[in-house]
Short mmCIF file of all heavy atoms in Angstrom, two decimals:
data_model
loop_
_atom_site.label_atom_id
_atom_site.label_comp_id
_atom_site.label_asym_id
_atom_site.label_seq_id
_atom_site.Cartn_x
_atom_site.Cartn_y
_atom_site.Cartn_z
N ILE A 173 12.46 8.18 10.41
CA ILE A 173 12.48 6.91 9.67
C ILE A 173 11.23 6.79 8.79
O ILE A 173 11.32 6.46 7.60
CB ILE A 173 12.57 5.73 10.65
CG1 ILE A 173 13.93 5.72 11.36
CG2 ILE A 173 12.34 4.40 9.91
CD1 ILE A 173 14.02 4.73 12.50
N GLY A 174 10.08 7.07 9.37
CA GLY A 174 8.83 6.95 8.62
C GLY A 174 8.78 7.88 7.43
O GLY A 174 8.39 7.48 6.33
N ASN A 175 9.21 9.13 7.62
CA ASN A 175 9.09 10.12 6.55
C ASN A 175 10.04 9.85 5.40
O ASN A 175 9.68 10.02 4.23
CB ASN A 175 9.32 11.52 7.12
CG ASN A 175 8.19 11.96 8.03
OD1 ASN A 175 7.07 11.47 7.93
ND2 ASN A 175 8.48 12.88 8.95
N ILE A 176 11.27 9.43 5.69
CA ILE A 176 12.21 9.20 4.59
C ILE A 176 11.79 7.97 3.77
O ILE A 176 11.85 7.99 2.54
CB ILE A 176 13.66 9.05 5.10
CG1 ILE A 176 14.62 9.07 3.89
CG2 ILE A 176 13.86 7.78 5.92
CD1 ILE A 176 16.08 9.12 4.29
N LEU A 177 11.32 6.93 4.44
CA LEU A 177 10.88 5.74 3.71
C LEU A 177 9.61 6.00 2.91
O LEU A 177 9.44 5.50 1.80
CB LEU A 177 10.68 4.57 4.68
CG LEU A 177 11.96 4.01 5.30
CD1 LEU A 177 11.64 2.95 6.34
CD2 LEU A 177 12.88 3.44 4.22
N ASN A 178 8.72 6.82 3.48
CA ASN A 178 7.49 7.15 2.75
C ASN A 178 7.79 8.02 1.53
O ASN A 178 7.17 7.87 0.48
CB ASN A 178 6.52 7.88 3.66
CG ASN A 178 5.16 8.05 3.03
OD1 ASN A 178 4.50 7.10 2.66
ND2 ASN A 178 4.72 9.30 2.88
N SER A 179 8.78 8.92 1.64
CA SER A 179 9.18 9.75 0.50
C SER A 179 9.71 8.89 -0.64
O SER A 179 9.38 9.11 -1.81
CB SER A 179 10.24 10.77 0.93
OG SER A 179 9.72 11.70 1.84
N ILE A 180 10.53 7.90 -0.28
CA ILE A 180 11.06 6.99 -1.31
C ILE A 180 9.92 6.18 -1.94
O ILE A 180 9.87 6.00 -3.16
CB ILE A 180 12.12 6.06 -0.69
CG1 ILE A 180 13.33 6.86 -0.25
CG2 ILE A 180 12.54 4.98 -1.70
CD1 ILE A 180 14.34 6.07 0.56
N SER A 181 8.99 5.72 -1.10
CA SER A 181 7.85 4.95 -1.61
C SER A 181 7.00 5.78 -2.56
O SER A 181 6.57 5.31 -3.61
CB SER A 181 6.99 4.45 -0.44
OG SER A 181 5.89 3.71 -0.90
N ASN A 182 6.77 7.06 -2.21
CA ASN A 182 6.00 7.94 -3.08
C ASN A 182 6.71 8.16 -4.41
O ASN A 182 6.06 8.23 -5.47
CB ASN A 182 5.78 9.29 -2.39
CG ASN A 182 4.78 9.20 -1.25
OD1 ASN A 182 3.98 8.26 -1.20
ND2 ASN A 182 4.82 10.15 -0.35
N CYS A 183 8.04 8.28 -4.37
CA CYS A 183 8.82 8.46 -5.59
C CYS A 183 8.69 7.23 -6.49
O CYS A 183 8.52 7.35 -7.71
CB CYS A 183 10.28 8.72 -5.24
SG CYS A 183 11.33 9.09 -6.67
N ILE A 184 8.75 6.06 -5.88
CA ILE A 184 8.60 4.81 -6.64
C ILE A 184 7.21 4.75 -7.29
O ILE A 184 7.07 4.42 -8.46
CB ILE A 184 8.82 3.59 -5.72
CG1 ILE A 184 10.29 3.52 -5.29
CG2 ILE A 184 8.41 2.30 -6.43
CD1 ILE A 184 10.56 2.48 -4.22
N ASN A 185 6.18 5.09 -6.51
CA ASN A 185 4.81 5.07 -7.04
C ASN A 185 4.65 6.04 -8.21
O ASN A 185 3.97 5.73 -9.20
CB ASN A 185 3.81 5.42 -5.94
CG ASN A 185 3.69 4.34 -4.88
OD1 ASN A 185 3.97 3.18 -5.15
ND2 ASN A 185 3.29 4.72 -3.69
N LEU A 186 5.28 7.21 -8.09
CA LEU A 186 5.20 8.21 -9.16
C LEU A 186 5.83 7.67 -10.43
O LEU A 186 5.25 7.79 -11.53
CB LEU A 186 5.89 9.50 -8.72
CG LEU A 186 5.94 10.62 -9.75
CD1 LEU A 186 4.54 11.06 -10.13
CD2 LEU A 186 6.74 11.80 -9.22
N HIS A 187 7.00 7.08 -10.32
CA HIS A 187 7.67 6.53 -11.50
C HIS A 187 6.92 5.34 -12.08
O HIS A 187 6.91 5.14 -13.31
CB HIS A 187 9.11 6.15 -11.16
CG HIS A 187 10.03 7.33 -11.03
ND1 HIS A 187 10.45 8.05 -12.12
CD2 HIS A 187 10.60 7.92 -9.94
CE1 HIS A 187 11.25 9.04 -11.72
NE2 HIS A 187 11.35 8.98 -10.41
N GLU A 188 6.29 4.55 -11.21
CA GLU A 188 5.50 3.43 -11.71
C GLU A 188 4.31 3.93 -12.52
O GLU A 188 3.98 3.36 -13.57
CB GLU A 188 5.02 2.56 -10.54
CG GLU A 188 6.12 1.71 -9.93
CD GLU A 188 5.64 0.89 -8.75
OE1 GLU A 188 4.55 1.24 -8.20
OE2 GLU A 188 6.32 -0.07 -8.36
N ARG A 189 3.67 5.00 -12.05
CA ARG A 189 2.55 5.56 -12.80
C ARG A 189 3.03 6.12 -14.14
O ARG A 189 2.36 5.96 -15.17
CB ARG A 189 1.86 6.65 -11.99
CG ARG A 189 0.98 6.11 -10.86
CD ARG A 189 0.04 7.16 -10.34
NE ARG A 189 0.75 8.26 -9.70
CZ ARG A 189 1.05 8.28 -8.41
NH1 ARG A 189 0.73 7.26 -7.63
NH2 ARG A 189 1.68 9.31 -7.89
N LYS A 190 4.20 6.78 -14.14
CA LYS A 190 4.76 7.30 -15.38
C LYS A 190 5.05 6.16 -16.35
O LYS A 190 4.82 6.27 -17.56
CB LYS A 190 6.03 8.10 -15.10
CG LYS A 190 5.78 9.46 -14.46
CD LYS A 190 7.08 10.21 -14.27
CE LYS A 190 6.84 11.60 -13.69
NZ LYS A 190 8.12 12.33 -13.49
N CYS A 191 5.59 5.06 -15.82
CA CYS A 191 5.89 3.90 -16.65
C CYS A 191 4.61 3.33 -17.26
O CYS A 191 4.59 2.97 -18.45
CB CYS A 191 6.61 2.84 -15.81
SG CYS A 191 7.15 1.40 -16.72
N GLU A 192 3.54 3.26 -16.46
CA GLU A 192 2.27 2.77 -16.97
C GLU A 192 1.72 3.68 -18.07
O GLU A 192 1.19 3.21 -19.09
CB GLU A 192 1.26 2.66 -15.83
CG GLU A 192 1.59 1.57 -14.82
CD GLU A 192 0.73 1.63 -13.58
OE1 GLU A 192 -0.10 2.56 -13.49
OE2 GLU A 192 0.88 0.77 -12.70
N GLU A 193 1.87 4.99 -17.89
CA GLU A 193 1.40 5.95 -18.89
C GLU A 193 2.20 5.81 -20.19
O GLU A 193 1.63 5.84 -21.29
CB GLU A 193 1.52 7.37 -18.35
CG GLU A 193 0.53 7.67 -17.23
CD GLU A 193 0.81 9.00 -16.55
OE1 GLU A 193 1.78 9.67 -16.96
OE2 GLU A 193 0.06 9.37 -15.63
N LEU A 194 3.52 5.64 -20.06
CA LEU A 194 4.35 5.48 -21.25
C LEU A 194 4.02 4.18 -21.99
O LEU A 194 4.06 4.12 -23.22
CB LEU A 194 5.83 5.50 -20.86
CG LEU A 194 6.41 6.87 -20.48
CD1 LEU A 194 7.82 6.72 -19.93
CD2 LEU A 194 6.42 7.80 -21.69
N ALA A 195 3.70 3.13 -21.23
CA ALA A 195 3.33 1.87 -21.86
C ALA A 195 2.05 2.02 -22.67
O ALA A 195 1.92 1.47 -23.77
CB ALA A 195 3.15 0.79 -20.79
N LEU A 196 1.10 2.82 -22.17
CA LEU A 196 -0.13 3.08 -22.91
C LEU A 196 0.14 3.89 -24.18
O LEU A 196 -0.45 3.64 -25.23
CB LEU A 196 -1.14 3.80 -22.02
CG LEU A 196 -1.72 2.99 -20.85
CD1 LEU A 196 -2.60 3.88 -19.98
CD2 LEU A 196 -2.51 1.80 -21.36
N ILE A 197 1.04 4.88 -24.06
CA ILE A 197 1.41 5.69 -25.22
C ILE A 197 2.07 4.82 -26.28
O ILE A 197 1.77 4.92 -27.48
CB ILE A 197 2.35 6.84 -24.79
CG1 ILE A 197 1.58 7.84 -23.93
CG2 ILE A 197 2.94 7.54 -26.01
CD1 ILE A 197 2.46 8.91 -23.31
N LYS A 198 2.97 3.94 -25.83
CA LYS A 198 3.65 3.05 -26.77
C LYS A 198 2.63 2.15 -27.49
O LYS A 198 2.71 1.96 -28.71
CB LYS A 198 4.67 2.19 -26.02
CG LYS A 198 5.36 1.16 -26.91
CD LYS A 198 6.27 0.25 -26.10
CE LYS A 198 6.86 -0.84 -26.98
NZ LYS A 198 7.69 -1.78 -26.20
N LYS A 199 1.67 1.62 -26.73
CA LYS A 199 0.66 0.74 -27.32
C LYS A 199 -0.14 1.49 -28.38
O LYS A 199 -0.42 0.96 -29.47
CB LYS A 199 -0.26 0.21 -26.23
CG LYS A 199 -1.32 -0.75 -26.73
CD LYS A 199 -2.17 -1.27 -25.57
CE LYS A 199 -3.24 -2.22 -26.08
NZ LYS A 199 -4.07 -2.75 -24.96
N ALA A 200 -0.50 2.74 -28.08
CA ALA A 200 -1.27 3.53 -29.03
C ALA A 200 -0.46 3.83 -30.28
O ALA A 200 -0.96 3.77 -31.40
CB ALA A 200 -1.72 4.84 -28.36
N LEU A 201 0.82 4.16 -30.10
CA LEU A 201 1.68 4.46 -31.25
C LEU A 201 1.89 3.24 -32.14
O LEU A 201 1.95 3.35 -33.37
CB LEU A 201 3.02 5.01 -30.77
CG LEU A 201 3.00 6.44 -30.21
CD1 LEU A 201 4.35 6.82 -29.64
CD2 LEU A 201 2.59 7.43 -31.29
N LEU A 202 2.03 2.08 -31.53
CA LEU A 202 2.19 0.86 -32.32
C LEU A 202 0.98 0.63 -33.22
O LEU A 202 1.09 0.10 -34.33
CB LEU A 202 2.39 -0.34 -31.39
CG LEU A 202 3.78 -0.47 -30.75
CD1 LEU A 202 3.77 -1.55 -29.69
CD2 LEU A 202 4.83 -0.78 -31.81
N GLN A 203 -0.19 1.02 -32.74
CA GLN A 203 -1.40 0.85 -33.54
C GLN A 203 -1.51 1.89 -34.65
O GLN A 203 -2.08 1.62 -35.71
CB GLN A 203 -2.63 0.94 -32.63
CG GLN A 203 -2.73 -0.21 -31.63
CD GLN A 203 -3.88 -0.03 -30.66
OE1 GLN A 203 -4.45 1.06 -30.55
NE2 GLN A 203 -4.22 -1.09 -29.94
N LYS A 204 -0.95 3.09 -34.42
CA LYS A 204 -1.13 4.19 -35.36
C LYS A 204 0.05 4.40 -36.30
O LYS A 204 -0.10 4.98 -37.38
CB LYS A 204 -1.41 5.49 -34.60
CG LYS A 204 -2.74 5.47 -33.85
CD LYS A 204 -2.97 6.77 -33.10
CE LYS A 204 -4.30 6.74 -32.35
NZ LYS A 204 -5.44 6.67 -33.27
N LEU A 205 1.24 3.94 -35.92
CA LEU A 205 2.44 4.16 -36.75
C LEU A 205 2.67 3.02 -37.74
O LEU A 205 3.63 3.07 -38.51
CB LEU A 205 3.67 4.35 -35.86
CG LEU A 205 3.72 5.67 -35.08
CD1 LEU A 205 4.92 5.68 -34.14
CD2 LEU A 205 3.79 6.87 -36.03
N PHE A 206 1.85 1.98 -37.70
CA PHE A 206 1.92 0.87 -38.66
C PHE A 206 0.57 0.74 -39.35
O PHE A 206 -0.47 0.98 -38.73
CB PHE A 206 2.28 -0.44 -37.96
CG PHE A 206 3.70 -0.52 -37.50
CD1 PHE A 206 4.08 0.00 -36.27
CD2 PHE A 206 4.67 -1.09 -38.32
CE1 PHE A 206 5.40 -0.07 -35.86
CE2 PHE A 206 6.00 -1.16 -37.90
CZ PHE A 206 6.36 -0.65 -36.68
N PRO A 207 0.56 0.40 -40.63
CA PRO A 207 -0.71 0.25 -41.35
C PRO A 207 -1.58 -0.84 -40.73
O PRO A 207 -1.09 -1.88 -40.29
CB PRO A 207 -0.28 -0.14 -42.77
CG PRO A 207 1.13 0.32 -42.88
CD PRO A 207 1.72 0.16 -41.52
N LYS A 208 -2.88 -0.60 -40.73
CA LYS A 208 -3.81 -1.62 -40.26
C LYS A 208 -4.00 -2.66 -41.35
O LYS A 208 -3.55 -2.49 -42.49
CB LYS A 208 -5.14 -0.96 -39.89
CG LYS A 208 -5.05 -0.01 -38.71
CD LYS A 208 -6.39 0.62 -38.40
CE LYS A 208 -6.28 1.58 -37.23
NZ LYS A 208 -7.57 2.26 -36.91
N LYS A 209 -4.69 -3.71 -41.02
CA LYS A 209 -4.91 -4.81 -41.96
C LYS A 209 -5.58 -4.27 -43.24
O LYS A 209 -6.54 -3.51 -43.18
CB LYS A 209 -5.77 -5.89 -41.32
CG LYS A 209 -5.97 -7.11 -42.21
CD LYS A 209 -6.81 -8.16 -41.51
CE LYS A 209 -7.01 -9.37 -42.41
NZ LYS A 209 -7.85 -10.40 -41.77
N ASP A 210 -5.02 -4.68 -44.38
CA ASP A 210 -5.54 -4.33 -45.71
C ASP A 210 -5.37 -2.85 -46.06
O ASP A 210 -5.99 -2.37 -47.01
CB ASP A 210 -7.03 -4.71 -45.84
CG ASP A 210 -7.25 -6.20 -45.69
OD1 ASP A 210 -6.37 -6.98 -46.11
OD2 ASP A 210 -8.30 -6.59 -45.13
N GLU A 211 -4.54 -2.14 -45.30
CA GLU A 211 -4.25 -0.73 -45.63
C GLU A 211 -2.78 -0.59 -46.00
O GLU A 211 -1.94 -1.43 -45.64
CB GLU A 211 -4.60 0.18 -44.45
CG GLU A 211 -6.10 0.20 -44.13
CD GLU A 211 -6.45 1.19 -43.04
OE1 GLU A 211 -5.54 1.91 -42.56
OE2 GLU A 211 -7.64 1.26 -42.67
N ILE A 212 -2.45 0.49 -46.72
CA ILE A 212 -1.08 0.67 -47.20
C ILE A 212 -0.39 1.88 -46.58
O ILE A 212 0.76 2.17 -46.89
CB ILE A 212 -1.07 0.81 -48.74
CG1 ILE A 212 -1.96 1.99 -49.18
CG2 ILE A 212 -1.52 -0.50 -49.39
CD1 ILE A 212 -1.91 2.25 -50.67
N LYS A 213 -1.10 2.58 -45.71
CA LYS A 213 -0.51 3.71 -45.00
C LYS A 213 -0.91 3.65 -43.53
O LYS A 213 -2.03 3.27 -43.21
CB LYS A 213 -1.01 5.04 -45.60
CG LYS A 213 -0.52 5.35 -47.00
CD LYS A 213 -1.03 6.72 -47.43
CE LYS A 213 -0.56 7.07 -48.83
NZ LYS A 213 -1.03 8.41 -49.25
N PRO A 214 -0.01 4.05 -42.64
CA PRO A 214 -0.38 4.14 -41.23
C PRO A 214 -1.25 5.37 -40.98
O PRO A 214 -1.27 6.30 -41.78
CB PRO A 214 0.96 4.25 -40.50
CG PRO A 214 1.88 4.85 -41.51
CD PRO A 214 1.43 4.36 -42.85
N GLU A 215 -1.93 5.37 -39.87
CA GLU A 215 -2.83 6.49 -39.53
C GLU A 215 -2.04 7.75 -39.18
O GLU A 215 -2.48 8.87 -39.49
CB GLU A 215 -3.71 6.08 -38.35
CG GLU A 215 -4.73 7.11 -37.93
CD GLU A 215 -5.60 6.62 -36.79
OE1 GLU A 215 -5.67 5.39 -36.58
OE2 GLU A 215 -6.21 7.46 -36.11
N VAL A 216 -0.90 7.59 -38.54
CA VAL A 216 -0.08 8.73 -38.14
C VAL A 216 1.26 8.68 -38.85
O VAL A 216 1.90 7.63 -38.89
CB VAL A 216 0.13 8.75 -36.60
CG1 VAL A 216 1.09 9.86 -36.19
CG2 VAL A 216 -1.21 8.92 -35.88
N ARG A 217 1.70 9.81 -39.45
CA ARG A 217 2.97 9.88 -40.18
C ARG A 217 3.79 11.04 -39.65
O ARG A 217 3.28 12.04 -39.14
CB ARG A 217 2.72 10.10 -41.68
CG ARG A 217 1.79 9.13 -42.36
CD ARG A 217 2.38 7.74 -42.46
NE ARG A 217 3.55 7.65 -43.29
CZ ARG A 217 3.54 7.43 -44.61
NH1 ARG A 217 2.37 7.32 -45.26
NH2 ARG A 217 4.66 7.30 -45.31
N TYR A 218 5.11 10.93 -39.81
CA TYR A 218 5.97 12.09 -39.58
C TYR A 218 5.78 13.07 -40.74
O TYR A 218 5.34 12.69 -41.83
CB TYR A 218 7.44 11.65 -39.51
CG TYR A 218 7.81 10.98 -38.21
CD1 TYR A 218 7.83 9.59 -38.09
CD2 TYR A 218 8.13 11.74 -37.09
CE1 TYR A 218 8.17 8.97 -36.90
CE2 TYR A 218 8.46 11.13 -35.89
CZ TYR A 218 8.49 9.75 -35.80
OH TYR A 218 8.82 9.14 -34.62
N LYS A 219 6.12 14.32 -40.51
CA LYS A 219 5.99 15.33 -41.56
C LYS A 219 6.84 14.95 -42.77
O LYS A 219 7.93 14.38 -42.63
CB LYS A 219 6.43 16.70 -41.03
CG LYS A 219 5.45 17.32 -40.05
CD LYS A 219 5.92 18.70 -39.61
CE LYS A 219 4.89 19.33 -38.67
NZ LYS A 219 5.32 20.69 -38.23
N ASN A 220 6.33 15.31 -43.95
CA ASN A 220 7.02 15.10 -45.23
C ASN A 220 7.02 13.64 -45.68
O ASN A 220 7.71 13.30 -46.65
CB ASN A 220 8.46 15.63 -45.20
CG ASN A 220 8.53 17.11 -44.85
OD1 ASN A 220 7.67 17.89 -45.30
ND2 ASN A 220 9.53 17.50 -44.07
N PHE A 221 6.29 12.78 -44.99
CA PHE A 221 6.17 11.38 -45.42
C PHE A 221 4.71 11.10 -45.75
O PHE A 221 3.84 11.19 -44.88
CB PHE A 221 6.66 10.42 -44.33
CG PHE A 221 8.13 10.52 -44.06
CD1 PHE A 221 8.62 11.36 -43.08
CD2 PHE A 221 9.03 9.78 -44.82
CE1 PHE A 221 9.98 11.46 -42.84
CE2 PHE A 221 10.39 9.87 -44.59
CZ PHE A 221 10.87 10.71 -43.60
N SER A 222 4.44 10.79 -47.01
CA SER A 222 3.06 10.56 -47.44
C SER A 222 2.90 9.37 -48.38
O SER A 222 1.78 8.94 -48.66
CB SER A 222 2.50 11.82 -48.13
OG SER A 222 3.30 12.16 -49.25
N ASP A 223 4.03 8.83 -48.88
CA ASP A 223 3.95 7.70 -49.80
C ASP A 223 3.37 6.46 -49.11
O ASP A 223 3.53 6.26 -47.90
CB ASP A 223 5.33 7.35 -50.35
CG ASP A 223 5.88 8.47 -51.23
OD1 ASP A 223 5.07 9.30 -51.69
OD2 ASP A 223 7.10 8.51 -51.43
N ALA A 224 2.77 5.63 -49.94
CA ALA A 224 2.27 4.36 -49.43
C ALA A 224 3.44 3.44 -49.08
O ALA A 224 4.51 3.52 -49.69
CB ALA A 224 1.38 3.70 -50.47
N TRP A 225 3.23 2.60 -48.09
CA TRP A 225 4.26 1.63 -47.72
C TRP A 225 4.24 0.49 -48.76
O TRP A 225 3.18 0.08 -49.24
CB TRP A 225 3.98 1.05 -46.33
CG TRP A 225 4.27 2.01 -45.20
CD1 TRP A 225 4.25 3.37 -45.25
CD2 TRP A 225 4.60 1.65 -43.85
NE1 TRP A 225 4.55 3.90 -44.03
CE2 TRP A 225 4.78 2.88 -43.14
CE3 TRP A 225 4.77 0.46 -43.18
CZ2 TRP A 225 5.11 2.92 -41.79
CZ3 TRP A 225 5.10 0.48 -41.84
CH2 TRP A 225 5.27 1.70 -41.15
N GLU A 226 5.44 0.00 -49.08
CA GLU A 226 5.54 -1.12 -50.02
C GLU A 226 5.29 -2.45 -49.30
O GLU A 226 5.52 -2.56 -48.10
CB GLU A 226 6.91 -1.15 -50.68
CG GLU A 226 7.22 0.07 -51.52
CD GLU A 226 8.58 -0.03 -52.18
OE1 GLU A 226 9.03 -1.16 -52.45
OE2 GLU A 226 9.20 1.03 -52.41
N GLN A 227 4.86 -3.40 -50.06
CA GLN A 227 4.64 -4.73 -49.50
C GLN A 227 5.58 -5.71 -50.19
O GLN A 227 5.67 -5.74 -51.41
CB GLN A 227 3.20 -5.19 -49.70
CG GLN A 227 2.92 -6.54 -49.03
CD GLN A 227 1.50 -7.01 -49.30
OE1 GLN A 227 1.06 -7.02 -50.44
NE2 GLN A 227 0.80 -7.37 -48.24
N ARG A 228 6.33 -6.51 -49.40
CA ARG A 228 7.26 -7.48 -49.95
C ARG A 228 7.18 -8.77 -49.13
O ARG A 228 6.80 -8.77 -47.96
CB ARG A 228 8.71 -6.96 -49.86
CG ARG A 228 8.98 -5.75 -50.75
CD ARG A 228 9.08 -6.18 -52.22
NE ARG A 228 9.51 -5.06 -53.05
CZ ARG A 228 8.68 -4.18 -53.57
NH1 ARG A 228 7.38 -4.27 -53.35
NH2 ARG A 228 9.15 -3.18 -54.33
N LYS A 229 7.55 -9.86 -49.76
CA LYS A 229 7.77 -11.11 -49.04
C LYS A 229 9.02 -10.95 -48.20
O LYS A 229 9.98 -10.31 -48.59
CB LYS A 229 7.95 -12.28 -50.00
CG LYS A 229 6.76 -12.57 -50.91
CD LYS A 229 5.60 -13.16 -50.11
CE LYS A 229 4.50 -13.59 -51.07
NZ LYS A 229 3.32 -14.12 -50.34
N LEU A 230 9.02 -11.54 -47.02
CA LEU A 230 10.15 -11.39 -46.13
C LEU A 230 11.44 -11.88 -46.78
O LEU A 230 12.50 -11.28 -46.60
CB LEU A 230 9.88 -12.14 -44.83
CG LEU A 230 10.95 -12.01 -43.73
CD1 LEU A 230 11.14 -10.55 -43.34
CD2 LEU A 230 10.56 -12.83 -42.49
#
Side-chain angles (χ1 to χ4, degrees):
I173 293 171
N175 291 337
I176 191 172
L177 291 175
N178 189 58
S179 294
I180 294 172
S181 180
N182 288 339
C183 184
I184 292 171
N185 291 336
L186 178 62
H187 284 288
E188 286 178 343
R189 285 196 295 270
K190 287 183 177 179
C191 184
E192 291 170 358
E193 291 171 359
L194 286 172
L196 291 175
I197 292 172
K198 176 185 175 183
K199 182 178 180 180
L201 287 174
L202 284 170
Q203 294 174 346
K204 294 179 180 295
L205 289 175
F206 287 86
K208 295 179 181 178
K209 183 179 180 181
D210 298 326
E211 295 185 3
I212 58 175
K213 292 183 180 181
E215 183 178 340
V216 174
R217 307 291 295 272
Y218 284 97
K219 288 183 178 180
N220 302 322
F221 293 92
S222 58
D223 294 341
W225 286 27
E226 297 182 28
Q227 185 183 50
R228 293 286 187 273
K229 298 289 187 183
L230 184 59

